Amino acid sequence: MRNWIQKVATICVVMLLGACASSDAKKLRPLYQRLGGKGALVAVVDDFTARVMADARISHHFATGNLGRFKSQLVDQLCEATAGPCKYKGQDMRAAHLGRGITGADFDALLENLVGSLDRFRVP
């Protein structure tokens, strides 16, 4: 489990650093604004969750949950993490994923879907 959490943290840092590597004028604005605000986050999360739900390798992890709540919390988490006005009120990532039987292959599949969504919306 610890290895999985380290992978997620590393990917998040790399994504944020990539998004931060822009012109000096853009650096003055919070990442949330540079990404396009809440509307942009919602669009990416909608696309990402649609990809995940269509992916037979991992959709079973989400089949019994409340997809609307998941999407809302993911948007809030990303919004808060990028200096937006939202407040994430869900569990920490360790608690949220503990005991769910997530494998390295599951994680890789999830990342493939995330990269597909980020590429679709041209998120650096």
Side-chain angles (χ1 to χ4, degrees), residues 4 6 10 17 32 42 44 49 56 66-67 69 79:
W4 183 85
Q6 289 171 336
T10 300
L17 288 175
Y32 172 80
V42 168
V44 171
T49 53
N66 180 331
L67 189 59
R69 182 173 179 260
C79 177

Side-chain angles (χ1 to χ4, degrees), residues 3-5 10 12 15 19 34 39 41 76 84 102 108 112:
N3 189 28
W4 183 85
I5 292 171
T10 300
C12 289
M15 287 173 23
R34 293 189 315 246
L41 294 179
D76 284 347
I102 300 168
D108 291 344
E112 285 176 30

Side-chain angles (χ1 to χ4, degrees), residues 53-114:
M53 294 307 293
D55 189 333
R57 298 173 297 172
I58 56 173
S59 60
H60 62 279
H61 287 293
F62 300 86
T64 60
N66 180 331
L67 189 59
R69 182 173 179 260
F70 170 76
K71 289 165 63 170
S72 176
Q73 286 190 330
L74 184 54
V75 168
D76 284 347
Q77 186 178 30
L78 293 170
C79 177
E80 182 177 345
T82 58
C86 310
K87 198 71 172 156
Y88 173 66
K89 296 179 180 130
Q91 294 179 305
D92 65 69
M93 291 301 92
R94 183 179 187 98
H97 297 93
L98 188 64
R100 296 199 180 257
I102 300 168
T103 66
D106 294 335
F107 181 74
D108 291 344
L110 186 83
L111 287 182
E112 285 176 30
N113 289 294
L114 176 59

Side-chain angles (χ1 to χ4, degrees), residues 8-21 31 35 44 78 111 114-115 118 123-124:
V8 170
T10 300
I11 288 167
C12 289
V13 168
V14 169
M15 287 173 23
L16 289 174
L17 288 175
C20 289
L31 179 57
L35 291 172
V44 171
L78 293 170
L111 287 182
L114 176 59
V115 168
L118 294 174
V123 177

